[in-house]
C-alpha cells in the first residue's frame, strides 16, 4: 500500500461499517421502543422512576456501584441468575427504556441488583448494609467484600425529645446515626429496582412440536 | 549512508521536546494510575482500606485508576511513540513542536480534571467514559491538535513506500476521535434510549482497545523487529491482509461483550462471530512477527527493546485467545462477569500495549536526547518486574475468575463463600501490581536521568553511536 488516501478511506470505511452495522442498526431497532400497555389493566410498563429514586440513581452513579454490581438477569438455563432469585424472568431491552443512564454493569464481584427492590423490600436493611456491611446479620456479615459508606450518614446528638425515626442506631454516648439525604435517595433507588412485569418478549421461547405424521 | 544517518539524527532531534513532554507526562500518570490501581485492588480483599474517605471509595478509585492508565499513561505514551515513528518512517522532520506541546498541556489538563471529576463524584458511570463532559471536550480538542501533526508528517513524507507501521498509526490516529466523539454524543450530549447506551459503550471500549492501543503496539513490533534484527519482515506481503482483516473484524467484535445481556441476540452473535474471525488476522500477524523472530531469538534477547516487544507479542496473542474463548457462549456463561474479561482488557492495555511502549522508549529516548541510559541495572529490574508481573497477574486473575465464575453458577453457593474463595487470589494480584510498580519506578528514575538536561552531559559519542546490532536495517 503506497497510497495515503487509500489507507484513509479504508480506515474510514472500516469504522463506518461497524458503526452503522452495530450501533446505528441497534438504535434503529431499539431507539423507539416504548412502554408496553398491558391488555388487561391498560397500565403502561415499565413505570418511570420516582423523583427520589431518580436522585438515588445519581448517587449510585457517583459512588461507582456499577464497578461491582450488574443490573441484568440472564435467561433461565444461561447461568444461575434465575435460580439465585435475582429475577423471575430474563431482562429485556424494554426493562431499561425509562432509565436515563443504563447501568447494566460487567462485574459481579457483588450480587446482581436488577430486582433487589423486590428481593429485599426493606430500607432498614440497606441503611445497615451501607453503614457497615460487616454488621452481623443472622450470624454472618451482611456483605463480605463490600466497603462501608460511613460518609452517607451523620452522627449527631439525639434531639431533646426523641431520636429520629430514621436513625439506624444510637451510640453509647447518646448520639444517633442518621442517613443523609443522599443515603435516603440511594436506598429509594435500590428499592425501586424491580422488573415486576414480564413482557411478551421476555417469555422463554418454547418450540412448538411438530405434529406427529405431519408433512 | 552517512547522509542518511545525519538526516535521521535531525529527524530524531526534531521530535525531542514533544516526545519528552508526552512521554514524561505519560510516566507520571503511569505512577499515579498504578498507585490508584493498587489501592483499588487492595480494597477488593480489604474492603475497609480507604473506605471512610468518599473520594477514595472503591467505586470511584477503580474507574479513576483505569482512566489514568488509559488516557494519562497510554495515550500520552502512544502520542510520543507515534509522532516519533511517523517522522522517522516518513523521513520528514516533525513540525510545530510548539503546537504539540500546547496540545500536551491541554490533554494533561483534561486528564487531570477528568480524574478529579471521577474522584469528586461526577462520574458518568459509562466504562472508560466516566470523565465528566467538560474534560472530554478538552481531550478531544487537544487530540485533534496532536493527531493532525501525525497526519501532516505523513503527508509531507519523503519516502516512496508506506510501511506497515504507518498503516497502523494512521488508522489509530483517525479511529480514536471518531469513536470518542460518537460515544460522547450518543451517551452524554443526546443520550440514546435504553440499552442502546450499553451497546454504544461496549463499541467504544472495544474500539479504543483494539483500534487504538493494539495498532500502536503492532506498529512498534513491525518496526523494531526488522530494524534491530537486520532482516525484513517474514512474508511481508501478507501484512496488508492482516491489517485490514484485523481492523474490520475487531471493529465489529464489540457485541461479544454483551452475550446473554438484555440486547437483541444478533448484537452478541455478530460480535462473537467477528471475535472469532479476528483469529485469522492474529495468525497472519503472528506469521509476520514470529517468522521474523524465528532463528534470531538469541539475538533478540540481547536487545532490551526486543525483549519488551516479544512480551508485547505474547500479550497480544494471549489477549486474542482469551477474547476468542469469551466469545464462545458456554465459556461466557461461566466467565463473563468475573475477573476474566477484566484480564482480557488488561492484557490488551498492559501486556500488549504498555510493554511495546516500554520497549520503544528504550530505543527512541537515547536517540531523541542524544544520551545513553545511565543504569543498566534499572533496565533489568524494569524488565524482570514487568515480565514476572504480567505472568503473575495473568495466572492470578485466570484462577480467581475461574473460581468465581464456577461458584457464581452454582446457585446454592452464597456470596460470602465466593468472596472468601477468591480473596487469596486477589491478595496475590495486589502483590503482582506492586511488582509492576517497582518496574515503573525503576523506569522513571532512568527516564529522569536521560530526559533532564542537567543530569548528565550530552555525549556526542552516544549521538553518533548507532551500533549495527541496534539499528541494522533501514526500514
Amino acid at each position: 500500500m503506497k497510497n495515503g488516501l487509500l489507507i484513509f478511506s479504508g480506515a474510514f470505511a472500516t469504522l463506518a461499517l461497524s458503526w452503522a452495522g452495530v450501533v446505528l442498526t441497534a438504535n434503529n431497532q431499539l431507539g423507539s421502543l416504548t412502554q408496553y400497555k398491558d391488555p388487561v389493566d391498560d397500565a403502561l410498563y415499565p413505570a418511570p422512576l420516582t423523583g427520589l429514586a431518580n436522585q438515588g440513581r445519581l448517587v449510585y452513579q457517583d459512588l461507582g456501584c456499577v464497578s461491582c454490581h450488574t443490573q441484568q438477569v440472564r435467561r433461565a438455563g444461561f447461568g444461575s441468575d434465575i435460580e439465585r432469585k435475582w429475577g423471575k424472568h430474563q431482562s429485556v431491552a424494554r426493562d431499561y427504556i425509562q432509565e436515563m443512564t443504563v447501568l447494566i454493569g460487567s462485574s459481579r464481584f457483588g450480587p446482581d441488583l436488577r430486582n433487589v427492590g423486590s428481593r429485599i423490600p426493606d430500607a432498614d436493611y440497606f441503611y445497615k448494609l451501607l453503614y457497615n456491611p460487616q454488621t452481623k446479620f443472622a450470624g454472618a456479615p451482611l456483605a463480605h467484600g463490600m466497603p462501608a459508606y460511613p460518609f452517607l450518614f451523620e452522627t449527631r446528638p439525639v434531639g431533646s425529645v426523641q431520636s429520629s425515626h430514621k436513625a439506624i442506631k444510637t451510640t453509647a454516648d447518646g448520639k444517633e446515626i442518621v442517613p443523609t439525604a443522599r443515603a435516603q435517595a440511594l436506598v429509594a433507588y435500590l428499592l425501586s429496582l424491580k422488573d415486576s412485569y414480564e413482557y411478551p418478549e421476555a417469555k422463554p421461547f418454547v418450540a412448538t412440536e411438530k405434529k406427529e405424521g405431519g408433512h | 549512508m552517512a547522509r542518511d544517518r545525519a538526516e535521521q539524527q535531525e529527524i530524531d532531534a526534531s521530535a525531542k521536546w514533544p516526545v519528552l513532554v508526552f512521554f514524561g507526562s505519560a510516566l507520571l500518570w503511569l505512577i499515579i494510575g498504578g498507585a490508584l490501581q493498587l489501592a483499588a485492588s487492595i480494597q477488593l480483599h480489604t474492603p475497609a482500606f480507604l473506605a471512610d474517605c468518599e473520594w477514595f471509595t472503591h467505586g470511584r478509585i477503580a474507574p479513576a485508576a483505569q482512566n489514568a492508565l488509559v488516557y494519562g499513561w497510554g495515550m500520552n505514551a502512544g502520542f510520543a511513540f507515534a509522532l516519533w515513528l511517523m517522522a522517522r518512517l516518513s523521513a520528514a522532520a516533525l513540525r510545530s513542536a510548539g503546537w504539540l506541546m500546547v496540545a500536551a498541556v491541554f490533554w494533561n489538563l483534561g486528564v487531570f480534571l477528568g480524574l478529579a471529576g471521577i474522584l469528586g463524584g461526577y462520574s458518568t458511570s459509562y466504562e472508560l467514559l466516566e470523565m465528566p463532559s467538560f474534560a472530554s471536550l478538552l481531550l478531544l480538542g487537544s487530540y485533534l491538535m496532536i493527531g493532525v501533526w501525525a497526519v501532516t508528517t505523513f503527508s509531507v513524507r519523503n519516502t516512496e513506500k508506506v510501511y506497515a507501521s504507518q498503516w497502523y498509526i494512521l488508522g489509530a490516529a483517525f479511529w480514536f476521535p471518531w469513536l470518542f466523539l460518537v460515544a460522547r454524543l450518543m451517551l452524554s450530549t443526546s443520550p440514546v434510549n435504553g440499552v442502546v447506551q450499553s451497546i454504544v459503550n461496549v463499541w467504544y471500549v472495544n474500539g479504543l482497545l483494539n483500534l487504538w492501543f493494539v495498532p500502536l503496539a503492532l506498529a512498534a513490533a513491525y518496526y523494531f523487529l526488522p530494524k534491530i534484527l537486520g532482516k525484513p519482515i517474514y512474508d511481508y506481503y501478507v501484512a496488508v491482509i492482516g491489517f485490514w482483516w484485523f481492523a474490520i473484524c475487531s471493529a465489529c467484535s464489540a457485541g461479544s461483550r454483551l452475550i446473554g445481556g438484555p440486547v437483541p441476540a444478533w448484537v452478541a452473535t455478530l460480535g462473537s462471530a467477528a471475535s472469532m474471525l479476528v483469529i485469522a488476522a492474529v495468525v497472519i500477524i503472528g506469521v509476520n512477527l514470529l517468522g521474523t523472530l524465528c532463528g534470531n531469538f538469541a539475538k533478540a534477547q540481547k536487545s532490551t527493546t526486543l525483549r519488551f516487544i516479544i512480551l508485547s507479542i505474547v500479550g497480544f496473542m494471549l489477549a486474542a485467545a482469551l477474547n476468542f474463548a469469551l466469545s464462545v457462549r458456554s465459556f461466557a456463561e461461566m466467565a463473563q462477569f468475573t475477573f476474566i474479561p477484566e484480564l482480557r482488557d488488561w492484557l490488551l492495555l498492559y501486556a500488549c500495549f504498555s510493554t511495546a511502549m516500554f520497549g520503544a522508549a528504550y530505543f527512541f529516548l537515547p536517540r531523541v536526547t542524544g544520551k545513553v541510559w545511565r543504569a543498566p541495572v534499572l533496565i533489568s529490574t524494569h524488565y524482570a518486574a514487568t515480565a514476572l508481573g504480567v505472568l503473575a497477574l495473568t495466572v492470578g486473575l485466570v484462577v480467581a475468575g475461574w473460581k468465581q465464575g464456577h461458584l457464581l453458577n452454582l446457585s446454592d453457593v452464597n456470596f460470602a463463600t465466593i468472596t472468601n474463595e477468591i480473596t487469596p487470589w486477589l491478595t496475590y494480584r495486589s502483590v503482582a501490581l506492586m511488582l509492576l510498580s517497582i518496574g515503573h519506578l525503576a523506569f522513571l528514575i532512568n527516564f529522569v536521568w536521560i530526559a533532564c538536561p542537567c543530569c548528565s552531559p550530552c555525549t556526542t559519542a552516544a549521538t553518533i553511536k548507532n551500533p549495527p546490532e541496534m539499528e541494522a536495517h533501514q526500514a
Side-chain angles (χ1 to χ4, degrees):
Chain A
M1 277 195 299
K2 288 184 186 173
N3 193 337
L5 197 65
L6 177 79
I7 302 173
F8 180 77
S9 19
F12 180 85
T14 305
L15 202 61
L17 175 78
S18 95
W19 186 40
V22 181
V23 176
L24 292 185
T25 314
N27 193 35
N28 201 27
Q29 182 181 355
L30 301 175
S32 53
L33 208 58
T34 50
Q35 285 169 299
Y36 179 77
K37 192 174 189 184
D38 183 83
V40 180
D41 64 5
D42 263 4
L44 290 170
Y45 296 96
L49 284 185
T50 64
L52 189 60
N54 202 26
Q55 283 176 27
R57 173 185 60 82
L58 293 173
V59 180
Y60 186 95
Q61 237 173 280
D62 109 45
L63 294 176
C65 306
V66 72
S67 295
C68 294
H69 295 282
T70 54
Q71 283 193 30
Q72 48 177 321
V73 180
R74 298 184 291 177
R75 66 179 158 80
F78 195 76
S80 67
D81 301 20
I82 306 275
E83 288 93 335
R84 279 188 180 272
K85 308 218 170 8
W86 282 343
K88 290 195 174 70
H89 47 84
Q90 67 168 315
S91 299
V92 290
R94 205 187 297 268
D95 285 321
Y96 300 84
I97 57 171
Q98 296 285 0
E99 282 161 39
M100 308 250 268
T101 315
V102 175
L103 301 157
I104 62 171
S106 61
S107 164
R108 280 185 177 165
F109 189 67
D112 185 88
L113 299 181
R114 189 64 204 162
N115 292 289
V116 76
S118 62
R119 223 160 68 224
I120 313 166
D122 175 6
D124 206 39
Y125 173 93
F126 288 117
Y127 286 133
K128 284 181 179 147
L129 178 77
L130 291 166
Y131 182 69
N132 181 4
Q134 269 73 40
T135 318
K136 294 279 186 202
F137 184 78
L142 286 168
H144 209 80
M146 187 168 138
Y149 294 90
F151 45 83
L152 289 178
F153 297 84
E154 59 176 328
T155 310
R156 62 185 189 197
V158 177
S160 53
V161 187
Q162 62 179 69
S163 79
S164 160
H165 68 282
K166 284 181 185 142
I168 53 169
K169 110 177 164 187
T170 314
T171 55
D173 55 354
K175 289 188 173 154
E176 58 180 359
I177 293 157
V178 190
T180 58
R182 287 169 76 209
Q184 292 175 35
L186 178 60
V187 169
Y189 173 67
L190 292 172
L191 290 173
S192 81
L193 288 174
K194 45 191 161 193
D195 291 332
S196 47
Y197 196 83
E198 186 174 13
Y199 304 103
E201 64 263 31
K203 294 202 171 86
F205 174 74
V206 184
T208 42
E209 285 181 31
K210 274 187 184 169
K211 282 178 192 165
E212 291 271 331
H215 294 288
Chain B
M1 195 66 191
R3 228 188 78 207
D4 277 1
R5 195 159 291 168
E7 221 169 65
Q8 205 162 49
Q9 277 173 21
E10 206 175 291
I11 291 167
D12 285 347
S14 75
K16 179 178 175 179
W17 285 108
V19 162
L20 285 183
V21 168
F22 279 120
F23 206 81
S25 34
L27 269 180
L28 281 182
W29 286 119
L30 180 64
I31 303 288
I32 296 171
L36 289 173
Q37 195 184 24
L38 181 61
S41 168
I42 291 173
Q43 285 173 332
L44 287 186
H45 50 83
T46 315
F49 183 63
L50 293 177
D52 291 349
C53 176
E54 185 168 1
W55 279 59
F56 295 116
T57 186
H58 180 76
R60 291 190 186 173
I61 216 172
Q66 197 64 12
N67 278 273
L69 291 173
V70 164
Y71 299 100
W73 150 249
M75 300 212 60
N76 270 316
F79 295 148
F81 164 71
L83 288 169
W84 167 78
L85 186 60
M86 197 46 129
R88 249 197 174 203
L89 285 175
S90 307
L94 193 62
R95 299 171 180 197
S96 297
W99 272 104
L100 284 168
M101 289 198 288
V102 172
V105 170
F106 279 106
W107 177 270
N108 286 302
L109 185 68
V111 176
F112 175 76
L113 290 176
L115 288 193
I118 296 172
L119 291 175
Y122 296 93
S123 163
T124 64
S125 268
Y126 297 115
E127 193 183 352
L128 289 183
L129 290 164
E130 286 98 345
M131 292 188 177
S133 310
F134 57 87
S136 320
L137 216 60
L138 268 174
L139 292 186
L140 191 67
S142 36
Y143 183 91
L144 293 178
M145 276 167 75
I146 298 161
V148 90
W149 290 110
V151 178
T152 309
T153 313
F154 174 76
S155 60
V156 298
R157 65 189 177 280
N158 296 312
T159 50
E160 271 232 347
K161 282 187 191 150
V162 179
Y163 185 61
S165 299
Q166 284 167 298
W167 317 334
Y168 283 104
I169 294 177
L170 275 182
F174 169 71
W175 286 319
F176 174 75
W178 189 355
L179 284 162
F180 192 72
L181 183 68
V182 163
R184 287 306 317 203
L185 285 178
M186 295 183 86
L187 290 177
S188 303
T189 317
S190 66
V192 284
N193 192 5
V195 289
V196 185
Q197 291 179 9
S198 309
I199 297 174
V200 174
N201 197 181
V202 295
W203 179 76
Y204 173 76
V205 171
N206 180 68
L208 179 67
L209 292 171
N210 287 302
L211 298 178
W212 209 85
F213 288 110
V214 174
L216 288 188
L218 292 176
Y222 271 103
Y223 182 71
F224 290 116
L225 278 175
K227 188 83 184 163
I228 297 173
L229 293 176
K231 62 182 268 203
I233 285 282
Y234 181 78
D235 276 352
Y236 181 68
Y237 65 95
V238 293
V240 62
I241 308 173
F243 171 72
W244 289 118
W245 193 258
F246 183 80
I248 293 169
C249 294
S250 44
C252 295
S253 65
S256 67
R257 289 164 185 258
L258 292 173
I259 290 178
V263 293
W266 66 263
V267 173
T269 310
L270 174 72
S272 291
S275 291
M276 292 177 184
L277 288 173
V278 166
I279 293 298
V282 174
V283 170
I284 296 175
I285 295 167
V287 166
N288 276 165
L289 300 178
L290 299 179
T292 313
L293 202 56
C294 193
N296 290 294
F297 199 71
K299 195 173 169 188
Q301 283 296 323
K302 286 193 193 123
S303 149
T304 308
T305 297
L306 281 194
R307 286 164 81 185
F308 275 104
I309 294 291
I310 293 170
L311 213 56
S312 157
I313 299 171
V314 172
F316 172 65
M317 307 252 159
L318 269 179
L322 209 51
N323 194 42
F324 180 88
L326 279 167
S327 49
V328 176
R329 269 169 198 269
S330 51
F331 187 72
E333 178 186 358
M334 184 279 277
Q336 75 177 151
F337 298 126
T338 68
F339 287 100
I340 291 180
E342 190 184 320
L343 173 66
R344 181 240 346 247
D345 293 351
W346 182 84
L347 281 174
L348 289 173
L349 180 68
Y350 198 92
C352 173
F353 170 79
S354 301
T355 54
M357 289 306 110
F358 294 148
Y362 280 114
F363 187 92
F364 67 66
L365 286 176
R367 282 165 178 74
V368 299
T369 55
K371 293 187 203 165
V372 286
W373 291 105
R374 258 262 189 107
V377 63
L378 290 179
I379 299 182
S380 337
T381 312
H382 183 205
Y383 179 75
T386 309
L388 276 177
V390 167
L391 180 73
L393 214 136
T394 307
V395 172
L397 283 192
V398 165
V399 177
W402 195 279
K403 282 195 171 181
Q404 188 192 8
H406 178 69
L407 294 174
L408 273 172
N409 279 356
L410 297 174
S411 54
D412 49 347
V413 178
N414 62 23
F415 248 85
T417 315
I418 303 178
T419 315
N420 282 336
E421 275 288 312
I422 60 174
T423 298
W425 292 99
L426 297 176
T427 315
Y428 171 77
R429 170 167 84 157
S430 297
V431 175
L433 286 173
M434 275 181 218
L435 195 61
L436 291 175
S437 298
I438 293 174
H440 300 161
L441 283 176
F443 189 38
L444 179 72
I445 298 172
N446 245 341
F447 173 81
V448 171
W449 263 331
I450 207 167
C452 177
C454 48
C455 275
S456 68
C458 180
T459 51
T460 34
T463 323
I464 292 163
K465 199 171 70 184
N466 237 346
E469 72 272 16
M470 285 293 286
E471 201 164 338
H473 176 72
Q474 291 295 321

